[in-house]
Amino acid sequence: MTSHNPHRGWSGRTAWVGRFNTPLRSFLHTETGSARVVLVAAVVALVWANLHLRSYESLWSTSFSVQLGGWRVAHDLRTWVNSGLMTFFFLVAGLELRRDFDIGELRERRRLTLPMLAGLGGVLLPIAIYLAFNAGRTTAAGWGAVMATDTALALGALAVFGPRFSDRLRGFLLTVSVIDDVVAIAVLAIAYPEHPSPTALLAAAGIFGVVLLIRAWGVRYGPVYALLGLAAWLAVSESGVDPVAVGLVMGLLTYAYAPGRTELQRASDLFRLFREQPTPQLARSARAGLASALSPNERLQLLYHPWASYVIVPLFALANVGIVIDGELLARAVTSPVTLGIVVGYVVGKPAGIVATSWLVTRLSRNRFRPPVGWVAVAGVGTISGIGFTVALLIATHALSGPTLEEAKLGILVATVGSSVVTWLVFRSAARLPSARRARAMLGAAEGIVDLMVPVDPERDHVRGPREAPVTVVEYGDFECPYCGQAEPVVRELLTDFANIRYVWRHLPLTDVHPHAQLAAEAAEAAGEQNAFWEMHDLLLAHQDALKPTDVLGYAEQLGLDLDRFREHLAQLKGADRIAEDIDSADLSGVTGTPTFFINGRRHHGAYDIAALSAAVKAAFASAKLRPAYRRDPGRRREGGPES
């Protein structure tokens, strides 16, 4: 184990910043980074098409076929990208929605109601606007092109134009955009089939039935699902329905769950066996144990998400955005009902539909259902949702052709730029508000999910800071864990920078990997009996490579403790019950590793450097101003003072 010097600098990023990302944070990071790649691909497609349209169309119209005996599937290269590779993009979208449904914000089912209805409102109003422009025309068939939001570009634009460190805002956008993507794919499958084949659709339904059956049997072998997914893709493709729907369905069928203590213990035991006897068989067992500790949902996201974001979506943009923008197209577009319907539908209809629906649901439910963010933030989510791009282009290529398709593509590009500009104006205006009004406008007054199942009790918990502090930071830690040691100077800097927060340490000794962690925790409790918990806490974290019985006795002597009382406390295991209570509370809150932080009852995800924790604390301060003190932390109403 590495030792830690508490006198090193308390600022800067820790060496383990990237190790503690949740699926949501990883998803957001990948999408915002890939947005730049998508934009570059779109610009390349436009330049290429305007410089040499013939070579552009020649490449993407090249036929490519797969043949097995007498069976053959043939498509041009653009179709393989649009209907083949994009299946993986929608697989990732389905995985993320399922993850949020199982362990994210939507695990409280009532929280699904408002974003689901807001997403539907953001679908229906743009369709109505488009149909109003195209009533009585054949171009009315393109109504599906104004439905969906491009999640990648929308999150990327929000990272540029929106407020920093607002996971709730990004989570709300993600939920709304994925829901309207689900609707859009359903429409694509139902409203725009080519030469529908009921027999092929029945075959696809049968394959999905097999998937459900083997999942119920507990089969977790990936290649089986891959083969069934491929079979379903081929069946749906032969049915005339766009097979990208297969990716979405397979993603929605894939469970997500946090790794449990039992699975982590088993993985640790398997790795220890391999460490003692490094044979190929034990290496294979250790790999399997590590993989089984993670949910299939997270493993598939890790595998496919970078490819979808950095390869597939840019390829899609490269294959579909290329149109010749000349005076003739611009002259047509100014009066084209297709272009105008798409631009007004996205730039005006999307935000109006999302905001109006959210407001109606809040009012009609008497605030039982309300947005997780403030109303300015809801408006920002509405405006940024006007970036349709990927799915809009996909549906437009199915619904329109020839000059009207070119007009639709131009409208989609203009709507993307227009929605970005309007979003910038919304958040720029919010930034000019006084701090209290800005906090309410961005954060709202909705109660967040409380992840800390056992509230802080100042009479029992080890607490640093004022009893009535509006923000409480709880850390589950292990004195032998090197990452807890690296987090310690960050916590100290946090306490220095924010005088009005209280910090709570709870024990979570990971005895399967840290053999001295339990003894160290008991030593801290023995010191606490003599009112020296925090002094011992600091010494233990400062000497993580020296936690044997003789070492902890030396620390007790260094602190001037009564050594007989200290030894008696250790010998009689007086602190064991207290430590077991902390471990039980960690289990109830879904904590399986250290360090794990909770800020005002909400689990902190991501990096534990000073920038990330400071941002989370600032957000908690802003939220605390909007709620009565008694609702922030039930533990604060109990009698008794904190430790100092």
Side-chain angles (χ1 to χ4, degrees), residues 445-469:
E447 288 292 326
I449 292 178
V450 176
D451 299 310
L452 187 66
M453 301 309 294
V454 178
V456 172
D457 181 356
E459 290 187 342
R460 177 201 173 278
D461 280 303
H462 300 294
V463 181
R464 265 178 168 161
R467 180 175 183 269
E468 295 300 322

Side-chain angles (χ1 to χ4, degrees), residues 354-384:
I354 289 172
V355 173
T357 304
S358 299
W359 183 82
L360 282 172
V361 171
T362 303
R363 287 296 299 272
L364 294 176
S365 68
R366 297 181 180 180
N367 289 328
R368 183 165 175 261
F369 303 115
R370 63 169 64 189
V373 293
W375 288 105
V376 171
V378 173
V381 167
T383 57
I384 206 68

Side-chain angles (χ1 to χ4, degrees), residues 257-472:
Y257 50 81
R261 185 76 60 82
T262 303
E263 290 79 9
L264 292 176
Q265 176 76 52
R266 180 174 177 273
S268 178
D269 291 342
L270 289 171
F271 181 78
R272 186 181 293 108
L273 288 173
F274 169 72
R275 176 68 178 83
E276 294 170 351
Q277 191 177 5
T279 64
Q281 293 80 7
L282 290 177
R284 190 160 50 246
S285 297
R287 281 197 300 268
L290 290 171
S292 64
L294 297 174
S295 70
N297 186 291
E298 190 169 353
R299 295 203 305 272
L300 289 175
Q301 282 197 58
L302 182 67
L303 177 63
Y304 291 121
H305 198 280
W307 286 99
S309 297
Y310 287 99
V311 178
I312 293 172
V313 176
L315 269 177
F316 175 84
L318 190 63
N320 291 276
V321 175
I323 56 172
V324 177
I325 301 178
D326 53 18
E328 179 187 351
L329 176 59
L330 294 175
R332 294 201 322 265
V334 170
T335 58
S336 166
V338 173
T339 305
L340 294 175
I342 289 175
V343 172
V344 177
Y346 269 123
V347 178
V348 178
K350 269 286 183 185
I354 289 172
V355 173
T357 304
S358 299
W359 183 82
L360 282 172
V361 171
T362 303
R363 287 296 299 272
L364 294 176
S365 68
R366 297 181 180 180
N367 289 328
R368 183 165 175 261
F369 303 115
R370 63 169 64 189
V373 293
W375 288 105
V376 171
V378 173
V381 167
T383 57
I384 206 68
S385 296
I387 299 178
F389 203 70
T390 304
V391 186
L393 288 170
L394 185 63
I395 295 179
T397 58
H398 283 74
L400 303 168
S401 61
T404 57
L405 178 57
E406 293 179 352
E407 294 164 11
K409 289 182 177 181
L410 182 61
I412 293 167
L413 294 176
V414 171
T416 298
V417 175
S419 296
S420 300
V421 171
V422 175
T423 301
W424 178 80
L425 292 173
V426 168
F427 289 118
R428 184 71 173 175
S429 300
R432 297 177 181 272
L433 295 173
S435 59
R437 292 184 62 191
R438 182 170 66 248
R440 181 171 291 277
M442 299 305 301
L443 297 174
E447 288 292 326
I449 292 178
V450 176
D451 299 310
L452 187 66
M453 301 309 294
V454 178
V456 172
D457 181 356
E459 290 187 342
R460 177 201 173 278
D461 280 303
H462 300 294
V463 181
R464 265 178 168 161
R467 180 175 183 269
E468 295 300 322
V471 174
T472 298

